[in-house]
Amino acid sequence: MHIFLALLCISVAAAPMCMSVPAKGASVRNTIHSITSIAQITLVHIKKLRTTLPVSPQIEVNTPSIEGLISISHDLGFLDNELQNPFTELLSQIQADVSSLEGRVRSLAETIHCHIAAKPIGESSDHPFPDSYLALTLTKVQNYLEKFLLNKDKLKVC
């Protein structure tokens, strides 16, 4: 009986120490789930917005490779900057989504001790064809998020 009580006391005393590791793992899993959910919702916003815009020609864009949290944060930072251009006011919800994604990816990187550079600085420039710029930006974001969701396992590496 004394052995049983001793084992019970030890297991109760050790329980908080054992719980801290899974809690961090659960936090990382929850953050990854949140990031992928925002990316999926953003794609829904893009598809809905495309139904209200004039039909644009098929635009081919090269999507950067997704290597890990560092490249994802960097790419989302550039997309966020492009979405803050005056020509893309119509994309304010998508800009908010991308900005939120970038912040969550940056936070996840800090949690797992990845060193991410400062967010890229946006450049404001004039575009002679604002409708084309809007369509191009929307296509870039859509293609990147689709590729990102196919490579969401890269959220676990720096």
Side-chain angles (χ1 to χ4, degrees), residues 128-146:
F129 304 105
D131 291 338
S132 296
Y133 181 78
L134 183 114
L136 176 65
T137 302
L138 197 58
T139 301
K140 281 182 184 178
V141 174
Q142 182 176 4
N143 288 356
Y144 185 81
L145 292 179
E146 287 170 348

Side-chain angles (χ1 to χ4, degrees), residues 7 13-14 35-37 57 60-61 76 79-80 82 86 91 93 96 99 107 122 125 129 141 143 145 149-151:
L7 287 174
I35 290 169
T36 56
S37 294
E60 295 288 328
V61 293
L76 288 172
L79 290 172
D80 186 21
E82 283 190 44
L91 307 179
Q93 178 60 54
S99 182
S107 174
S125 60
F129 304 105
V141 174
N143 288 356
L145 292 179
L149 287 172
L150 292 174
N151 294 285

